[in-house]
């Protein structure tokens, strides 16, 4: 992973984790492109920042949620495009079993800032 891609992805992950810890749909949706596609933990495809905000506003109001990214890989696919894949472990402070998922993001430069344009979560466990 290039240093630039690493720095961009690390900055977005830090903001994403901080927003998730507060379940702040506004802060989280601001990290996404106005034309984002978002597949989270349910089968619905959410679109755009409003859709991302709807997803996060629809989550249960856990008392102390946290997310930790590991196995992060990023690749600069073009001057304005980064692919990222990682594992995310969600700790929901015993309010439900912890959740571990695979995550991929496509990140684009939009209006001079880096935004997530595609977000896809999937099972860490093999499906087949």
């Amino acid at each position: 992973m290039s240093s630039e891609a690493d720095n961009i992805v690390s900055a977005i992950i830090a903001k994403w984790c901080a927003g998730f810890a507060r379940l702040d749909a506004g802060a989280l949706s601001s990290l996404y492109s106005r034309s984002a596609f978002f597949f989270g933990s349910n089968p619905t495809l959410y679109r755009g920042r409003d859709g991302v905000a709807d997803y996060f506003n629809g989550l249960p109001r856990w008392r102390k949620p946290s997310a930790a990214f590991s196995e992060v890989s990023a690749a600069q696919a073009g001057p304005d495009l980064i692919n990222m894949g990682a594992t995310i472990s969600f700790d929901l402070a015993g309010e439900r079993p912890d959740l571990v998922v695979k995550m991929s993001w496509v990140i684009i430069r939009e209006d001079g800032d880096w935004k997530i344009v595609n977000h896809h979560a999937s099972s860490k466990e093999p499906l087949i």
Side-chain angles (χ1 to χ4, degrees):
M1 172 163 55
S2 77
S3 178
E4 180 183 13
D6 186 30
N7 291 339
I8 292 163
V9 168
S10 293
I12 293 171
I13 287 172
K15 291 175 189 174
W16 198 96
C17 288
F20 184 78
R22 298 185 316 275
L23 294 173
D24 184 338
L28 287 160
S29 65
S30 74
L31 301 173
Y32 290 81
S33 166
R34 62 184 164 271
S35 58
F37 277 19
F38 183 104
F39 273 119
S41 59
N42 67 48
T44 302
L45 172 61
Y46 296 88
R47 297 180 72 150
R49 289 187 188 121
D50 289 343
V52 173
D54 288 346
Y55 172 82
F56 285 110
N57 279 325
L59 290 178
R61 300 289 101 185
W62 299 296
R63 289 186 306 269
K64 193 175 179 188
S66 67
F69 284 66
S70 62
E71 303 174 57
V72 178
S73 297
Q76 188 99 31
D80 298 324
L81 184 67
I82 297 171
N83 276 324
M84 188 281 295
T87 297
I88 305 180
S89 300
F90 293 95
D91 179 348
L92 304 169
E95 292 183 66
R96 65 150 282 146
D98 291 352
L99 178 65
V100 179
V101 299
K102 297 180 296 182
M103 180 72 66
S104 63
W105 288 343
V106 177
I107 302 165
I108 62 167
R109 192 183 329 251
E110 181 177 274
D111 300 328
D113 199 7
W114 291 96
K115 301 291 182 181
I116 303 164
V117 71
N118 192 296
H119 170 118
H120 191 272
S122 61
S123 173
K124 180 75 174 165
E125 298 302 318
L127 299 176
I128 297 177

